[in-house]
Amino acid sequence: MLFCFFLGPFGAHRFFLGQIGTAVIQLLTLGGCGIWYLIDLIMILVGKYKDADGNYIKSPINNN
């Protein structure tokens, strides 16, 4: 969650989770002009974001 919050416009959270293709696109567009970055952040907060292997990423706020 912190990667996405602080470095989201650069796609750092996607690089870390192994989503290299979309990370490069997010890096080049600065997080889709901020929109893509916000969507990722919200998905992480509600617990609906998956890594490259299909595992859900758990937020410290939402420990389902």
Side-chain angles (χ1 to χ4, degrees), residues 1-15 22-23 25-38 40-41 44 49:
M1 181 181 79
L2 292 176
F3 261 174
C4 185
F5 184 77
F6 290 111
L7 299 172
F10 306 109
H13 61 290
R14 288 184 177 263
F15 280 112
T22 55
I25 295 170
Q26 196 165 4
L27 175 65
L28 295 175
T29 62
L30 291 177
C33 296
I35 297 170
W36 195 0
Y37 151 70
L38 287 174
D40 283 354
L41 185 61
I44 291 170
Y49 195 80

Side-chain angles (χ1 to χ4, degrees), residues 14-64:
R14 288 184 177 263
F15 280 112
F16 184 74
L17 295 174
Q19 301 170 343
I20 305 301
T22 55
V24 170
I25 295 170
Q26 196 165 4
L27 175 65
L28 295 175
T29 62
L30 291 177
C33 296
I35 297 170
W36 195 0
Y37 151 70
L38 287 174
I39 291 171
D40 283 354
L41 185 61
I42 291 168
M43 288 181 64
I44 291 170
L45 289 173
V46 298
K48 298 296 181 187
Y49 195 80
K50 295 182 181 181
D51 65 6
D53 295 328
N55 301 317
Y56 284 102
I57 303 302
K58 293 186 179 180
S59 166
I61 294 173
N62 185 7
N63 282 329
N64 293 341

